[in-house]
Amino acid sequence: MKLVNLLRIAWRAIKRNKMRAFLTMLGIIIGVAAVIAMIAIGQGSRQSIQSQITGMGSNMITIRPSSNVMGGARLDVTNVQALAEPDIIALQKQPEYINAVSPSVTARGQVINGPYNWSTSLQGVAPEYLSIRSWPLQDGVSFTSQDVKRAAKVCLVGQTIITNLFPNGEDVLGKNIRFKNIPFKIIGVLGKKGENTFGQDQDDIILTPYTTVQKRILATTYYQTIFASAIDESSTDKAAAEIQQVMRVSHKLQKGTDDDFTVRTQAELISTFTSTSQILTILLAVIAGISLVVGGIGIMNIMYVSVTERTKEIGLRMSIGARGIDILMQFLIEAILISITGGLIGVALGITATKLVTLFLQWPTLVTQSSVILSFLVCFITGVFFGYYPALKASRLDPIEALRYE
Amino acid sequence: MSSVIVDIRNLEREFKMGDETVKALNDVSFTINAGEFITIMGSSGSGKTTLLNILGCLDKPTKGEYFLDGTNVSKLSKTELARFRNKKLGFVFQSYNLLPRTSAIENVELPLLYNPEISAKQRKEKAMKALEAVKLTHRTHYLPSQLSGGQQQRVAIARALINDPVLILADEATGNLDSRTSYEIMMLVQELNDVQGKTIVFVTHELDIASFSKRTITLKDGKIIKDNINSNVRNARKVLEGLPLISEPSIAAK
């Protein structure tokens, strides 16, 4: 038996029942399209989270005090007095993997320019902060370590601040804005960063020397956060370990006691968030996979009906010389052709649906090659698996009985 | 003396019906020579269908031997039987058994699709030749639903002819047709027998149809009760000419 003849026989049989073949395919089409669209949506959100976190500065390391228990009450991290100047000095002393360190203290409040006001955060940092966050200046200059020493009333403003305080589009450099009645001179404008992964507007910020916030606003000697950066992306873990070592020494922590601070790298953050979306992707793929199996059962169902309905045809084919294997192959190829054609249409439909989701819902999506290959492969296997039993049943028919079947 | 196509010796076929064993064929022996046109007659239950199934290599005898074209069919496996049917036999059924929604030529070439030795080009040529033999070349791409009963049966005959079989088996091939169309089919069958020398076994229960064959075997209760040469073979063409003309045009006009 020539394969080309078998293909021809199976193709003609499908052609004779176009509508039924299409309806059979429908299950597979929907299944494959769902698998592809679901994986694309899952992968898309994963990738966008990843790129946004990387955008925050991929070798950035954050040091925060652990929430301490004081008299039975857990304190908010911002009130914990764990990070202070000795830590910065210790971290800057002969660092191996640490590139830059910047303390951070933030105060929230109303900022005023003439008739305009806006509620925002005033973040006190060191000049190195901009390089740690890989945040370029759009205009003007940054403050210097001299400014830090003097607790200078100078600031860098984010784009959102400009929009809200200077709605007329004038030049903001050199202008004064007031925060808690203290005038700050704008010496630089920060480049646009947009929203971060958590939907926070990163441009709604005013940067000023940390000493200014500590001395003039909060009257504190502690830091809320210390930002550091590793010398390169690959050594963030080593840098984090180094920081932990230095901090433990600086905090005089005994062996066996817990850290009173936490060190987090961006990589950890990425893995935390991508693992969430990984679970989402798996969940979506499983749901879609189930619909593919249902589609496969649809094929099996129709093939069984088809075998019964075409009993007489099978009898005829056997009487004119078709062997059992020929009949088996014919029905198997029919099932595979149906599932593969359905798979192809499903892939096209899945990609189209993905594009539409991106177009209308603005969801990030990513059609991966592997998801296409996977669902196509599953299709083929579905065809073989669910087509085999009906085909076997057909091939075992007795030609005399089959011919007499009405 | 022409060569022997069918040689059946002491054939028996038993069926088990619950506890009882029914002998559908009991000690049947006969031979068929090349170029013969035989009708097998008998009422229902006489065993003629069982005999036809065995002749068609669809069934195997319980006892006895069956040689078709020199091969002992009783000893072949299922797969070998299928191959054998494909090369040596042609079937014509009462209900035509054409594939629905499939053109006449695709129906005709069907047996050759199961023969790997035939190329696509040969297949088309042979199919056209077979359709020519049944005078249906002008209906090549018609679907069965677009053809009359007689035309459908002629497509089925063309399908039986395409592999140049040593034996053509017809099972009540005129059973679904009116008498005029039946005579047209018998005329075609006589022509295939006379002109092309095809060996034909025609199963029927109509004496009228049997009278066109050269020899008639009559079965009763699984035994041959009569096996006689027809001294007075009717000519289907003459019978047709003798019929009063009706609106439907005859084969020759088509």
Side-chain angles (χ1 to χ4, degrees), chain A residues 1-2 5 8-9 12 16-17 312-313 316-323 326 330 399-400 403, chain B residues 53 59 79 82-83 85-86 91 93 95 97 99-102 106 109-110 113-114 116 118 123 159:
Chain A
M1 195 67 201
K2 275 193 284 193
N5 283 359
R8 184 172 282 129
I9 289 166
R12 283 177 184 173
R16 285 211 310 271
N17 273 302
K312 205 155 185 175
E313 174 193 327
L316 168 81
R317 287 180 186 276
M318 286 178 159
S319 74
I320 60 171
R323 295 164 298 167
D326 296 331
Q330 175 190 342
I400 299 167
L403 272 172
Chain B
N53 286 338
D59 198 5
T79 308
R83 280 251 159 280
R85 289 198 293 271
N86 187 248
F91 285 92
F93 303 93
S95 51
N97 280 351
L99 295 185
R101 294 181 286 281
T102 304
E106 284 187 5
E109 67 179 22
L110 197 61
L113 280 176
Y114 293 100
I118 306 279
R123 199 165 60 227
R159 182 180 62 196

Side-chain angles (χ1 to χ4, degrees), chain A residues 84-125:
Chain A
E85 205 178 356
D87 297 326
I88 296 288
I89 293 166
L91 286 170
Q92 280 171 336
K93 200 196 287 172
Q94 293 175 330
E96 202 174 338
Y97 297 108
I98 306 163
N99 188 32
V101 188
S102 166
S104 167
V105 271
T106 304
R108 277 206 70 87
Q110 214 72 9
V111 60
I112 301 162
N113 171 41
Y116 308 107
N117 73 92
W118 182 248
S119 171
T120 188
S121 302
L122 183 73
Q123 190 182 8
V125 291

Side-chain angles (χ1 to χ4, degrees), chain A residues 275-301:
Chain A
S275 76
T276 319
S277 82
Q278 187 77 44
I279 291 167
L280 185 79
T281 308
I282 291 170
L283 196 75
L284 291 175
V286 165
I287 293 170
I290 289 170
S291 71
L292 202 57
V293 171
V294 172
I297 293 170
I299 289 191
M300 180 142 89
N301 195 356

Side-chain angles (χ1 to χ4, degrees), chain B residues 39-46 48-49 94 170-176 202-211 216-219:
Chain B
T39 43
I40 295 176
M41 289 209 50
S43 53
S44 53
S46 61
K48 63 181 195 297
T49 307
Q94 179 175 1
D171 184 10
E172 305 270 13
T174 57
N176 281 6
F202 208 104
V203 171
T204 183
H205 61 265
E206 291 174 79
L207 267 169
D208 185 35
I209 294 298
S211 63
T216 304
I217 293 175
T218 311
L219 287 171

Side-chain angles (χ1 to χ4, degrees), chain B residues 145-163:
Chain B
S145 56
Q146 297 166 321
L147 298 170
S148 71
Q151 287 171 332
Q152 287 187 53
Q153 195 58 298
R154 280 192 277 149
V155 172
I157 292 172
R159 182 180 62 196
L161 287 172
I162 194 166
N163 55 348

Side-chain angles (χ1 to χ4, degrees), chain B residues 115-249:
Chain B
N115 186 345
E117 291 151 28
I118 306 279
S119 72
K121 193 166 158 260
Q122 281 175 303
R123 199 165 60 227
K124 285 271 172 271
E125 280 170 7
K126 278 173 178 274
M128 279 313 286
K129 238 179 89 189
L131 279 171
E132 210 177 293
V134 298
K135 303 177 183 69
L136 268 182
T137 39
H138 59 303
R139 294 282 188 270
T140 322
H141 294 288
Y142 278 52
L143 302 181
S145 56
Q146 297 166 321
L147 298 170
S148 71
Q151 287 171 332
Q152 287 187 53
Q153 195 58 298
R154 280 192 277 149
V155 172
I157 292 172
R159 182 180 62 196
L161 287 172
I162 194 166
N163 55 348
D164 289 318
V166 295
L167 182 66
I168 294 173
L169 295 164
D171 184 10
E172 305 270 13
T174 57
N176 281 6
L177 302 171
D178 60 68
S179 54
R180 186 180 184 88
T181 320
S182 298
Y183 294 146
E184 286 174 2
I185 293 297
M186 291 321 291
M187 190 179 99
L188 180 63
V189 172
Q190 279 190 330
E191 199 181 298
L192 290 174
N193 178 243
D194 289 338
V195 181
Q196 302 199 25
K198 296 281 172 201
T199 314
I200 296 163
V201 173
F202 208 104
V203 171
T204 183
H205 61 265
E206 291 174 79
L207 267 169
D208 185 35
I209 294 298
S211 63
F212 294 105
S213 67
K214 294 172 179 167
R215 176 181 163 196
T216 304
I217 293 175
T218 311
L219 287 171
K220 196 183 178 186
D221 299 331
K223 284 185 175 169
I224 296 179
I225 54 165
K226 222 162 60 181
D227 184 353
N228 56 319
I229 306 291
N230 262 349
S231 49
N232 184 22
V233 179
R234 283 204 294 165
N235 185 316
R237 182 180 291 275
K238 286 200 178 123
V239 173
L240 262 178
E241 281 164 1
L243 283 178
L245 268 176
I246 46 167
S247 56
E248 206 194 352

